[in-house]
Structure formats: structure tokens, C-alpha cells
């Protein structure tokens, strides 16, 4: 499968994995930079051990660690920390914090903003290092009255593990010599990863095993390998390279190319057992040294150099000529490439035919060597007439002759081309079980070799030409099923015109899932096994979950087996949504590998990694929860999940375990509970709106305005009527006078309106008249008449409906 052999290469967000790997010796927090108080979205195990808090306790707390402040925490340092967060800066502090048991500890705190591909700060990375040993011993209530030496002794005793880690360092080194991460932050290097999706990256000197250059180079090596497999036996048997500089130079060039290939193999990525692309130089070197390095090195040694010298002993020269056969180990490179081509039926057929021809070539070289060795009787120095070489020489008219006057050796005979073609002809007829008999073995050595060749030939013929269909069906059933599935998916995506982005996600998921499971149907395999054996296998498959989480420590063997059978393993590709906001949370999920993000209202509220648990507390709730956020995979992830009904069934039966499970299992992210937060951008907008309203000019009516005085009278009249008192005539006269004043004002305002003249007090006058008239209209007072008069002055004779 092409995708599987390339490894898991889809763009993914490996930010968490990179931070965990680079900060393996540090304690750190990750906080959301876009939410008020910068809540914690992830904390590693080191910080949990250092602070005494569980990961679920730290989630959504402020990244400033305000929950760890105490009476001895310096207020100025607190302000500096908040200022660093407010301005998205990088900084370092020495700060006194309190553990969960309220033990004061000095921390060296480093803060760094994390940006995405849009250069926007989305996260804060806060690292912590315990430097209590190198600060003045802290005086608390338990050590009040102690001497400085006594407090120092207690601090050293309580932090013995830290002392062992920091023994070679002195106080100045702790204060001034930062960790590798601190150096990265201060230098402003690009080594600090960004929070974004990106394709797997390799170091500059590392070559991707699927890049165009490496593919071309592999084809060159493959061609030279077949050249070696053909020419080495031929040169050894027919001695073509004796005193032949051209062959020596050509073979030396091939040796150099293979030596270069060894160097490249030390710098080429490979696909790991989990389907991931391994680009770590150290891992690449160790993998190559353990696998093909020795074979490649032996096949590249320059065995022809000694033969290039004339004064070399004949025995040593023959020995090195024989050692040239070791170069056939280069065929190991073909074996490494077989898995790329075995999935194609036509390629397999061509490969088997090539193997058949290569075996025939090797046997032809051996057949000639036997004839050449037996054609001359070394004891009597005579020619054996029954040898196939002697018969061939006589039949084609080029007999052997003895040169008694010159070299004193046998000369003549057929040419080397004729000898090779005749040898290959004989081996092919023997391997295919045809055997015309025109060339037949006569000596004992030739007959023994012919018998062995017939046995090999019958097996090769039956295997290659007789059972090709059976081989394809039996050896490549899984591969055929894989390609059939891929073709069905491609046809489905094309038929329903699925968008390109979604189509690529579907294909990547299928390829990556196949590379992880190797096409094995786990459910089908487990269904074959009996109940007891199936439970044992399931316990083994879920051992990481059972061993890492304390909630399962008190479970009996029977309880673990019952749980293991109900667990399911799912594989997620980058970008896959495990939960959508609003859908039912019907499963409890345990993260075994990879990282995920929890998104609520377009903000990351949690980042989940190995060992985290998310879902719902089914054992404490009676209703099914709705997911309050989206849970999306950042990388390739493996999740072990158990359904709600299955979990409740086991907990109902194992009551003792249910109590322990409920008490010890803490969800890193509870999807039932919605997190209440405010975005920093919203807070800034509200502040800007408040300032804008504050700067606006508000219109008000003066205190001595006649309308204000009039309505004060209306208010007094209403209060007196409620108390059951009546008004005297002078007051009525005064009220009528003020009513006429109101009418005149309204008439004057209507006149200004009709002539386009504005008056800032008139709108308020209109509102007040309308409200005042409404209040007195219910009692039938003169306010109603005043209101009507004012409206007529404003609108004219026709007053609109509703006024």
C-alpha cells in the first residue's frame, strides 16, 4: 500500500508531542491566551508531582498560578507576572508558591507565548523548576523560632530528590544558567514549535524515504543490484576480468555507488512499527546498524583490487575471485523493495519470471565451471572426449589442441559467448523439464549437478508457472482486500461528489488505519476464541489503560475481564471530531497515544494527551449528557472507549469496585459541564464601548425650565389626590395659567418645526408634555388638553393615529 509504506504523513498538529519531548525534564503548563485570566488547558505530570495537584484540579485555573499564591508570595512579582501575560511577552521569575498541602516552595518560572500560523498568540507556555535549595530557608508556622541552620537542614531533607538532580550546580548557576528551553526563549529562536497543523518535518541532513530523489536513487541501486547478480557469477566462472582494466574500473564505480548508498541509508527516514515516520538521526543509525549494515558492507568490499596486481599468488587471487560472490548479498536491497511491489499482480508475475531467469543464469555459470574443470585430465594432461565441452567443440568445428612448442597448455575450443549461450540453453531446457538431449551430461560431476538442477527446476516450474493464481489468492488476499476497499471508497467519493478536502481526510484515515491494524479484523479474530481466552486477550490489549489509571487498581481479575471485553479501540486521524457540540456523550474515552483539543465557542479550553480521560461521569448522573464542546484530534490518536450502558452494567454487578472507581477516577475534561469564560477580545470591546458612552454629551433640561416646574406641579397634584385632598381655586388658576404656557410653548415649537428651525430643548419638551399629559389624562385633568393642543401645533389639524 503506497500510503502505508510512506508512513503517517498527513498534516497534523504535533505541538504537544514536541513540547513534551523537549521539556521531558521540566514541569510546565499550557494556558489559553485568548480567554480572561488565561485558563490552564494542559499540565504535564511533572507539574502535578511538583505542585501536588491532580491534572483535573489544575485545568481551567489561571496560568498565573494564582491558586498557589500565599501570604509570602511577593506582590511585585505577582504584578510582573500579570504584566507579562497582559503584554504577551517572554520573561523569567523567581516566585514563591504554595503546594496543595500549603508547603511554600521557590520556583523558577518561565513564560513564553505560543503563536499559530497567523502569528497570533494562542497559548502560553509556563515552565517551572524547584530552586528552594538555593534560596534562603522559608520560615513558616511549623519552623517559627528555629535557627537558620535548622530550617536549611529541613529544606534539604524534604527535597532530597531535587538535591540529587541539582548537586553539580551552585546557586549562581541556577539563577543565571537557564534550561535549554529558557535559552530558546531568550534567543527568540524558531525552535519553539507553533500551535498549527503541519506536515512532518525532518532535520536538514535527513532524507525522506519517499521523496523524489530517494525514489530515483533506489531505482538506480535496484538496477545496479541486478547488474551485480548477473555479472558477478559470469565473471567468476568465465574469468573475464583477468587483465581487463575496463571491467575493473566499471566494477569499482559500482562499488563506490554502493558505498554512497550506505552513507545515505544512515540519513534516510524509515517507517516505525506504529506507522509513524522516524526522523531522529540516532534512531535511524541504530535501526540501520541492526538490520542491513553488515550485509551491505560485505557486499561493497573491493575484492577486485588484489587481482589488479600482476605479482599476486595464484591461490590468493583465486580466493578473492571466489569472494566476489559475496556481492550477491546486494540482493538484500531487492528484498527491501519487494513489499512495495508485491501488492500488484503483474509486478509479482514479472518478478517471478526474473527470478527464474536469474536462477537459470547462475546454474549456467556453474554448469560451465564444472565442464571447464573436467575437460582436461590433470594427471595425464589429456583431453576427456566424453566431456560436453569437448563434444561441443568438435560439433561446431573448433576443437581443443595442445600447444607443445609454445605455452605447453591446451588451447582453442569454442568462444566464451558460444559457451555461455550453450550453458544457458541446457539449464533452461532442464529447468522447464523439456530436455532435448542434444546436450547431455556424461561425467559423474555433470550428472550429479544435473540431478540437483532437475529437482530445483521442477520446484521452480511448479511454483512459478503452475500455481500463479493460487499464489496470488493465498499470499495477497489481504492486499487484494485492501485495494478492493480503496477502489470502493474512491468510487463512492466520486459518485457522490464529496469535496476534495473531505475526500483526502477519508483516504488518509483508511490508509493510516490499515497501516496500524495491518488489515486484521480484531472482532473476527476474537470471535473465534472461546470466552475465557477472549477475555485474556482483551485484558492484554487494554493493559495500558488498566496499568496507568489508579481507578482500576482495586479491581478483581473477574472485574477487569468483564471491563476489558467491553472496551473498544479506535484510531483517529488528524482533524477527526470524536465529539460534536450538542451530541450525546455515550462513552468514556481513555487517551493512549496522540493529542486532542477541546474547543468551546471557538476557543481551546483543554488539550488532552496520553493518560487523559474525557467523557461524562455516568455513574453519578441519571440522564444522558449533551456535549458542551467539540473534541478534535490534533495528531494520529489511539483511544480506548467503553460505552455508557456497558460500564454501568459492570459497575452495578461489582459494587465494591464501583465505589472505588467513582472515588478514584477523575475526568480531565467533563463534557457535560460547560466552562464559563470571557474572551479577552470581548472584554476589550466592552471597555471601548464604555469609554465611548462616557465621552458622549447628554442633553438635560435646566432646573428653572417652565416645563419642569409644570410637571412638579403635576406630581404634587397626583400625590395630593392619592391622599384624598382637594385643590383650592387659586391653585387651579395657577394650573390653567401654566397649561396655557405649555400650549404656547408647543405652538411655538410647531411653528419652528414647520419653518425648519431647530431647538435642542424642544424634543425634551415634547417628551415631557406627552408623558405629563398621559399622567393627567387618566384623571381628566388639564394635562390632557395641553397635550392635545401641543400635538396639534406639532402635527397640524390631523394628528396621526397612536399620538
Amino acid at each position: 500500500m503506497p500510503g502505508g509504506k510512506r508512513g503517517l504523513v498527513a498534516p497534523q498538529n504535533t505541538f504537544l508531542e514536541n513540547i513534551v519531548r523537549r521539556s521531558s525534564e521540566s514541569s510546565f503548563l499550557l494556558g489559553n491566551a485568548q480567554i480572561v485570566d488565561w485558563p490552564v488547558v494542559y499540565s504535564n505530570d511533572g507539574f502535578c508531582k511538583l505542585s501536588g495537584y491532580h491534572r483535573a484540579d489544575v485545568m481551567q485555573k489561571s496560568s498565573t498560578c494564582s491558586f498557589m499564591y500565599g501570604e509570602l508570595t511577593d506582590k511585585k512579582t505577582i504584578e510582573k507576572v500579570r504584566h507579562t501575560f497582559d503584554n504577551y511577552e517572554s520573561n523569567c521569575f523567581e516566585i514563591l508558591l504554595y503546594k496543595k498541602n500549603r508547603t511554600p516552595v521557590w520556583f523558577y518560572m518561565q513564560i513564553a507565548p505560543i503563536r499559530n500560523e497567523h502569528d497570533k498568540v494562542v497559548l502560553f507556555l509556563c515552565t517551572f523548576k524547584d530552586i528552594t535549595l538555593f534560596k534562603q530557608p522559608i520560615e513558616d508556622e511549623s519552623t517559627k523560632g528555629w535557627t537558620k541552620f535548622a530550617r536549611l537542614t529541613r529544606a534539604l531533607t524534604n527535597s532530597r530528590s531535587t538535591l540529587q538532580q541539582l548537586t553539580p550546580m551552585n546557586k549562581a548557576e541556577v539563577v543565571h544558567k537557564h534550561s535549554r528551553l529558557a535559552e530558546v526563549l531568550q534567543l527568540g529562536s524558531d525552535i519553539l514549535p507553533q500551535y498549527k497543523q503541519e506536515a512532518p518535518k525532518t532535520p536538514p541532513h535527513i532524507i525522506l524515504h519517499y521523496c523524489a530523489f530517494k525514489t530515483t536513487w533506489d531505482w538506480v541501486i535496484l538496477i545496479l543490484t541486478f547488474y551485480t547478480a548477473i555479472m558477478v557469477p559470469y565473471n567468476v566462472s568465465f574469468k573475464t576480468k583477468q587483465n581487463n582494466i575496463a571491467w575493473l574500473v566499471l566494477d569499482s564505480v559500482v562499488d563506490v555507488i554502493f558505498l554512497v548508498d550506505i552513507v545515505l541509508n544512515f540519513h534516510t527516514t524509515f517507517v516505525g512499527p506504529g506507522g509513524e515516520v522516524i526522523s531522529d538521526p540516532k534512531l535511524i543509525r541504530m535501526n540501520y546498524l541492526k538490520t542491513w549494515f553488515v550485509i551491505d558492507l560485505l557486499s561493497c568490499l573491493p575484492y577486485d583490487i588484489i587481482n589488479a596486481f600482476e605479482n599476486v599468488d595464484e591461490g590468493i587471487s583465486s580466493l578473492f575471485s571466489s569472494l566476489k560472490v559475496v556481492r550477491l548479498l546486494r540482493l538484500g536491497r531487492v528484498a527491501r523493495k519487494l513489499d512495495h511491489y508485491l501488492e500488484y499482480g503483474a509486478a509479482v508475475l514479472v518478478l517471478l519470471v526474473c527470478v527464474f531467469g536469474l536462477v537459470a543464469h547462475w546454474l549456467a555459470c556453474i554448469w560451465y565451471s564444472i565442464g571447464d574443470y573436467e575437460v582436461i585430465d590433470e594427471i595425464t594432461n589429456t583431453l576427456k572426449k566424453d566431456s560436453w565441452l569437448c563434444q561441443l567443440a568438435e560439433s561446431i568445428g573448433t576443437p581443443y589442441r595442445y600447444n607443445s612448442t609454445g605455452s605447453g597448455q591446451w588451447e582453442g575450443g569454442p568462444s566464451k559467448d558460444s559457451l555461455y549461450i550453450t550453458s544457458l540453453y541446457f539449464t533452461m531446457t532442464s529447468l522447464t523439464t523439456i530436455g532435448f538431449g542434444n546436450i547431455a551430461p556424461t561425467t559423474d560431476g555433470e550428472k550429479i549437478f544435473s540431478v540437483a538442477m532437475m529437482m530445483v527446476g521442477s520446484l521452480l516450474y511448479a511454483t512459478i508457472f503452475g500455481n500463479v493464481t493460487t499464489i496470488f489468492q493465498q499470499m495477497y488476499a489481504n492486499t487484494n482486500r485492501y485495494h478492493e476497499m480503496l477502489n470502493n471508497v474512491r468510487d463512492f467519493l466520486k459518485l457522490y461528489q464529496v469535496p476534495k478536502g473531505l475526500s483526502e481526510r477519508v483516504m488518509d484515515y483508511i490508509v493510516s488505519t490499515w497501516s496500524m491494524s495491518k488489515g486484521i479484523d480484531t472482532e473476527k479474530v476474537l470471535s473465534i476464541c472461546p470466552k475465557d481466552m477472549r477475555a485474556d486477550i482483551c485484558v492484554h490489549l487494554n493493559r495500558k489503560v488498566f496499568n496507568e489509571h489508579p481507578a482500576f487498581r482495586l479491581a478483581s481479575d473477574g472485574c477487569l475481564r468483564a471491563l476489558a471485553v467491553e472496551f473498544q479501540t479506535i484510531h483517529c486521524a488528524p482533524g477527526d471530531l470524536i465529539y460534536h457540540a450538542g451530541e450525546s456523550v455515550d462513552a468514556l474515552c481513555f487517551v493512549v497515544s496522540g493529542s486532542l483539543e477541546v474547543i468551546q465557542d471557538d476557543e481551546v479550553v483543554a488539550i488532552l494527551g496520553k493518560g487523559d480521560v474525557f467523557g461524562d461521569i455516568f455513574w453519578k448522573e441519571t440522564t444522558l449528557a449533551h456535549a458542551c464542546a467539540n473534541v478534535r484530534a490534533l495528531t494520529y490518536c489511539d483511544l480506548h472507549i467503553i460505552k455508557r450502558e456497558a460500564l454501568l452494567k459492570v459497575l452495578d454487578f461489582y459494587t465494591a469496585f464501583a465505589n472505588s472507581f467513582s472515588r478514584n477516577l477523575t475526568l480531565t475534561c467533563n463534557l457535560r459541564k460547560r466552562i464559563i469564560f470571557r474572551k479577552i477580545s470581548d472584554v476589550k470591546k466592552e471597555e471601548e464601548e464604555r469609554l465611548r458612552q462616557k465621552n458622549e454629551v447628554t442633553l438635560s433640561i435646566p432646573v428653572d425650565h417652565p416645563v419642569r416646574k409644570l410637571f412638579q406641579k403635576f406630581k404634587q397634584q397626583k400625590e395630593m389626590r392619592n391622599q384624598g385632598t382637594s385643590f383650592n381655586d387659586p391653585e387651579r388658576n395657577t394650573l390653567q395659567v401654566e397649561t396655557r404656557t405649555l400650549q404656547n410653548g408647543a405652538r411655538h415649537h410647531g411653528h419652528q418645526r414647520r419653518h425648519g428651525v431647530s431647538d435642542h430643548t424642544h424634543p425634551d419638551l415634547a417628551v415631557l408634555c406627552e408623558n405629563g399629559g398621559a399622567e393627567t389624562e387618566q384623571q381628566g385633568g388639564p394635562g390632557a388638553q395641553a397635550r392635545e393642543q401641543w400635538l396639534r401645533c406639532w402635527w397640524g389639524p390631523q394628528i396621526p393615529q397612536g399620538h
Side-chain angles (χ1 to χ4, degrees):
M1 80 198 132
K5 299 306 174 185
R6 288 182 57 185
L8 307 180
V9 296
Q12 52 183 320
N13 189 335
T14 57
F15 168 79
L16 184 61
E17 285 74 10
N18 293 333
I19 290 294
V20 170
R21 183 177 69 253
R22 298 179 185 183
S23 307
S24 58
E25 299 178 358
S26 303
S27 305
F28 70 89
L29 295 175
L30 290 176
N32 190 311
Q34 297 299 317
I35 299 178
V36 176
D37 284 341
W38 316 282
V40 175
V41 296
Y42 182 83
S43 66
N44 71 335
D45 295 335
F47 181 82
C48 294
K49 294 178 181 178
L50 204 60
S51 63
Y53 288 90
H54 189 272
R55 182 177 296 172
D57 299 332
V58 178
M59 300 292 283
Q60 302 309 315
K61 295 288 196 308
S62 176
S63 298
T64 60
C65 293
S66 56
F67 60 97
M68 298 177 66
Y69 291 168
E71 56 184 5
L72 297 180
T73 306
D74 184 44
K75 300 299 187 292
K76 293 183 179 180
T77 305
I78 295 176
E79 289 300 324
K80 291 180 181 179
V81 171
R82 291 196 65 87
H83 182 270
T84 301
F85 278 94
D86 283 330
N87 295 280
Y88 301 107
E89 298 174 348
S90 299
N91 212 336
C92 306
F93 306 96
E94 292 181 1
I95 186 170
L96 180 66
L97 301 176
Y98 287 76
K99 294 184 178 182
K100 188 175 183 179
N101 59 5
R102 306 312 296 169
T103 302
V105 181
W106 276 99
F107 286 106
Y108 184 67
M109 182 179 181
Q110 306 170 39
I111 303 172
I114 304 298
R115 302 179 184 274
N116 60 8
E117 63 271 23
H118 305 297
D119 201 34
K120 179 182 179 181
V121 177
V122 293
L123 294 174
F124 278 110
L125 173 64
C126 306
T127 59
F128 301 85
K129 197 174 188 67
D130 187 353
I131 58 171
T132 307
L133 293 178
F134 306 98
K135 303 294 289 184
Q136 185 172 347
I138 304 166
E139 181 178 358
D140 53 16
E141 294 182 357
S142 60
T143 61
K144 191 171 294 184
W146 289 20
T147 62
K148 180 178 178 180
F149 178 77
R151 293 198 303 271
L152 178 61
T153 304
R154 183 197 178 194
L156 295 177
T157 305
N158 293 338
S159 305
R160 185 174 302 169
S161 60
T162 308
L163 179 64
Q164 293 174 355
Q165 297 175 1
L166 303 177
T167 297
M169 302 175 65
N170 54 33
K171 180 176 179 179
E173 288 176 338
V174 173
V175 176
H176 300 290
K177 184 179 179 181
H178 302 158
S179 64
R180 179 178 61 177
L181 183 59
E183 294 175 358
V184 169
L185 299 181
Q186 291 185 355
L187 294 175
S189 174
D190 295 333
I191 300 175
L192 194 65
Q194 289 184 325
Y195 188 75
K196 65 178 182 179
Q197 282 192 344
E198 54 187 352
K201 293 182 178 179
T202 56
H205 59 283
I206 297 299
I207 304 172
L208 285 172
H209 62 279
Y210 55 85
C211 67
F213 167 76
K214 193 62 173 65
T215 303
T216 306
W217 179 263
D218 288 341
W219 276 106
V220 172
I221 294 298
L222 201 62
I223 294 172
L224 294 180
T225 300
F226 278 106
Y227 161 80
T228 303
I230 293 173
M231 295 306 298
V232 166
Y234 179 81
N235 293 332
V236 171
S237 300
F238 291 86
K239 301 179 178 62
T240 59
K241 297 174 79 172
Q242 300 292 338
N243 301 323
N244 193 327
I245 302 300
W247 284 110
L248 179 63
V249 172
L250 179 61
D251 206 33
S252 299
V253 171
V254 173
D255 290 340
V256 170
I257 294 176
F258 277 100
L259 286 173
V260 173
D261 181 64
I262 293 178
V263 176
L264 291 180
N265 285 333
F266 277 111
H267 298 82
T268 304
T269 62
F270 67 96
V271 181
E276 71 281 5
V277 178
I278 305 298
S279 59
D280 186 2
K282 183 177 180 181
L283 295 178
I284 293 175
R285 291 193 293 268
M286 293 303 298
N287 177 73
Y288 185 52
L289 288 173
K290 291 178 181 178
T291 51
W292 295 98
F293 172 72
V294 176
I295 294 176
D296 290 347
L297 184 63
L298 289 176
S299 64
C300 294
L301 295 179
Y303 300 105
D304 291 326
I305 293 180
I306 295 181
N307 292 335
F309 299 98
E310 296 181 358
N311 299 325
V312 176
D313 183 76
E314 183 177 357
I316 297 178
S317 178
S318 301
L319 174 63
F320 277 89
S321 297
S322 302
L323 286 177
K324 288 186 289 187
V325 180
V326 178
R327 290 182 177 173
L328 294 180
L329 293 174
R330 293 175 183 173
L331 288 175
R333 289 176 170 81
V334 180
R336 274 175 271 181
K337 298 298 176 184
L338 286 181
D339 53 0
H340 289 262
Y341 310 109
L342 288 182
E343 56 200 47
Y344 304 105
V348 174
L349 183 59
V350 172
L351 184 65
L352 292 178
V353 171
C354 291
V355 170
F356 185 83
L358 194 61
V359 171
H361 167 72
W362 291 348
L363 293 176
C365 293
I366 298 175
W367 173 253
Y368 168 75
S369 298
I370 294 175
D372 184 60
Y373 177 76
E374 293 185 345
V375 69
I376 305 296
D377 189 350
E378 295 181 356
I379 299 177
T380 59
N381 197 23
T382 57
L383 188 68
K384 292 183 178 181
K385 297 294 183 180
D386 56 348
S387 173
W388 75 272
L389 283 179
C390 184
Q391 295 178 4
L392 175 65
E394 292 178 356
S395 63
I396 62 176
T398 55
Y400 289 95
R401 61 182 182 275
Y402 183 74
N403 189 353
S404 58
T405 59
S407 61
Q409 296 180 352
W410 288 91
E411 298 177 350
S415 65
K416 291 185 178 180
D417 294 339
S418 178
L419 291 174
Y420 173 74
I421 293 173
T422 305
S423 301
L424 184 62
Y425 166 77
F426 171 72
T427 55
M428 289 293 289
T429 57
S430 300
L431 289 176
T432 55
T433 66
I434 297 175
F436 293 104
N438 50 356
I439 297 178
T442 55
T443 64
D444 293 340
E446 294 172 354
K447 292 178 180 179
I448 293 173
F449 174 75
S450 298
V451 170
M453 185 169 55
M454 290 177 186
M455 295 178 63
V456 174
S458 61
L459 292 176
L460 281 176
Y461 188 82
T463 302
I464 297 174
F465 299 104
N467 298 301
V468 172
T469 304
T470 305
I471 292 172
F472 287 160
Q473 290 178 349
Q474 293 182 353
M475 295 183 62
Y476 313 110
N478 253 2
T479 304
N480 293 334
R481 183 161 56 90
Y482 169 75
H483 284 284
E484 182 181 358
M485 177 180 63
L486 280 185
N487 292 332
N488 291 337
V489 173
R490 288 194 185 100
D491 293 341
F492 171 84
L493 298 175
K494 187 182 298 182
L495 176 64
Y496 292 99
Q497 298 179 354
V498 178
K500 182 180 179 181
L502 182 58
S503 301
E504 291 177 351
R505 284 180 54 198
V506 172
M507 296 301 297
D508 179 70
Y509 174 79
I510 293 174
V511 172
S512 61
T513 303
W514 185 277
S515 67
M516 300 294 289
S517 63
K518 308 302 181 184
I520 299 172
D521 189 350
T522 305
E523 296 296 330
K524 185 176 181 180
V525 174
L526 292 177
S527 63
I528 302 174
C529 303
K531 179 181 178 181
D532 181 68
M533 189 180 298
R534 182 165 60 251
D536 289 339
I537 295 175
C538 291
V539 170
H540 174 74
L541 295 178
N542 297 281
R543 64 191 183 280
K544 293 183 179 179
V545 175
F546 294 152
N547 294 335
E548 291 179 0
H549 294 278
F552 300 101
R553 289 176 184 172
L554 299 181
S556 61
D557 291 341
C559 180
L560 284 181
R561 293 157 67 87
L563 285 171
V565 174
E566 303 294 344
F567 266 97
Q568 301 175 11
T569 302
I570 62 174
H571 174 71
C572 305
D576 289 349
L577 282 170
I578 291 83
Y579 278 113
H580 289 261
E583 70 178 358
S584 60
V585 184
D586 59 348
L588 192 64
C589 304
F590 297 82
V591 184
V592 176
S593 65
S595 58
L596 309 96
E597 61 180 357
V598 182
I599 304 174
Q600 178 183 312
D601 299 335
D602 297 329
E603 289 294 339
V604 178
V605 296
I607 299 178
L608 307 175
K610 179 182 177 182
D612 287 329
V613 188
F614 63 95
D616 187 22
I617 46 177
F618 309 123
W619 50 96
K620 294 182 181 179
E621 303 291 346
T622 57
T623 59
L624 200 61
H626 293 276
C628 65
N630 295 327
V631 181
R632 181 170 61 192
L634 295 175
T635 63
Y636 293 98
C637 303
D638 286 325
L639 304 178
H640 290 223
I641 67 172
I642 184 169
K643 292 293 184 179
R644 177 178 184 269
E645 294 78 9
L647 178 61
L648 293 179
K649 181 178 67 176
V650 175
L651 295 179
D652 289 341
F653 185 77
Y654 295 94
T655 309
F657 169 73
N659 296 331
S660 172
F661 183 82
S662 175
R663 185 172 59 255
N664 294 324
L665 183 66
T666 304
L667 295 185
T668 308
C669 180
N670 190 344
L671 297 178
R672 175 186 290 267
K673 296 181 179 180
R674 183 175 178 82
I675 299 172
I676 307 300
F677 61 84
R678 299 184 67 194
K679 297 183 179 181
I680 294 178
S681 58
D682 295 339
V683 174
K684 291 181 178 179
K685 289 180 181 178
E686 293 175 2
E687 186 66 25
E688 292 174 357
E689 181 68 20
R690 189 180 300 109
L691 292 175
R692 187 181 63 81
Q693 293 178 357
K694 184 178 179 181
N695 295 330
E696 286 184 352
V697 179
T698 57
L699 300 177
S700 60
I701 300 176
V703 179
D704 57 348
H705 198 280
V707 177
R708 183 179 293 276
K709 293 181 179 180
L710 175 62
F711 282 102
Q712 288 178 356
K713 292 292 184 180
F714 287 157
K715 186 176 181 181
Q716 292 175 2
Q717 181 183 4
K718 184 176 180 180
E719 292 177 353
M720 294 177 67
R721 284 184 179 181
N722 291 337
Q723 295 175 1
T725 58
S726 59
F727 294 95
N728 52 18
D729 291 339
E731 291 179 346
R732 287 182 179 273
N733 295 334
T734 304
L735 182 61
Q736 292 175 0
V737 173
E738 292 177 349
T739 302
R740 284 195 296 271
T741 303
L742 175 62
Q743 293 174 355
N744 294 331
R747 190 177 295 110
H748 173 69
H749 184 69
H751 175 76
Q752 288 183 336
R753 172 186 174 273
R754 286 190 292 273
H755 290 81
V757 181
S758 61
D759 189 350
H760 292 294
T761 61
H762 291 154
D764 295 322
L765 177 65
V767 175
L768 291 173
C769 288
E770 185 174 357
N771 293 337
E775 291 179 359
T776 58
E777 186 178 9
Q778 297 178 357
Q779 285 79 19
Q785 300 175 4
R787 177 175 179 273
E788 183 178 359
Q789 290 294 333
W790 184 86
L791 289 174
R792 289 186 185 279
C793 293
W794 177 267
W795 296 104
Q798 298 296 328
I799 302 175
Q801 187 177 359
H803 293 278

